[in-house]
Amino acid sequence: MASKAMASLKLSQDQIHILEENFNKVSKHPDSTTLMLIAAECGLSEEETQKWFTLRNAQWRQSEGLPAEQGSVLD
């Protein structure tokens, strides 16, 4: 995750590891309960966690050659 938006989140390596593991093994689009649990595990707010998933999904879609998601809003 080398993007400026990702860097602005200032995450530790442990937090990134937990987020990536959930992204790859659990869900690329976690529901609100799962998002809350991931946020708690990482010590992040739900908003920060949601922003990370939004940015990570954009990177994943770009790497897969897929179009950007319609209607996604970044802060």
Side-chain angles (χ1 to χ4, degrees):
M1 303 321 95
S3 76
K4 289 180 185 178
M6 283 288 205
S8 73
L9 290 174
K10 298 184 181 3
L11 302 173
S12 72
Q13 289 299 315
D14 288 339
Q15 289 170 320
I16 293 169
H17 176 76
I18 292 165
L19 291 164
E20 284 289 341
E21 188 172 272
N22 279 282
F23 182 82
N24 291 315
K25 294 181 180 175
V26 178
S27 175
K28 290 179 178 28
H29 301 279
D31 61 30
S32 60
T33 303
T34 304
L35 194 69
M36 179 183 65
L37 294 171
I38 295 168
E41 184 178 0
C42 292
L44 299 171
S45 70
E46 289 179 52
E47 293 78 18
E48 290 170 314
T49 307
Q50 180 62 57
K51 184 174 181 180
W52 185 88
F53 271 90
T54 301
L55 293 168
R56 184 64 180 88
N57 269 295
Q59 288 182 337
W60 176 79
R61 292 182 68 79
Q62 184 177 27
S63 73
E64 296 293 313
L66 299 170
E69 290 186 84
Q70 297 298 316
S72 80
V73 177
L74 297 178
D75 295 340

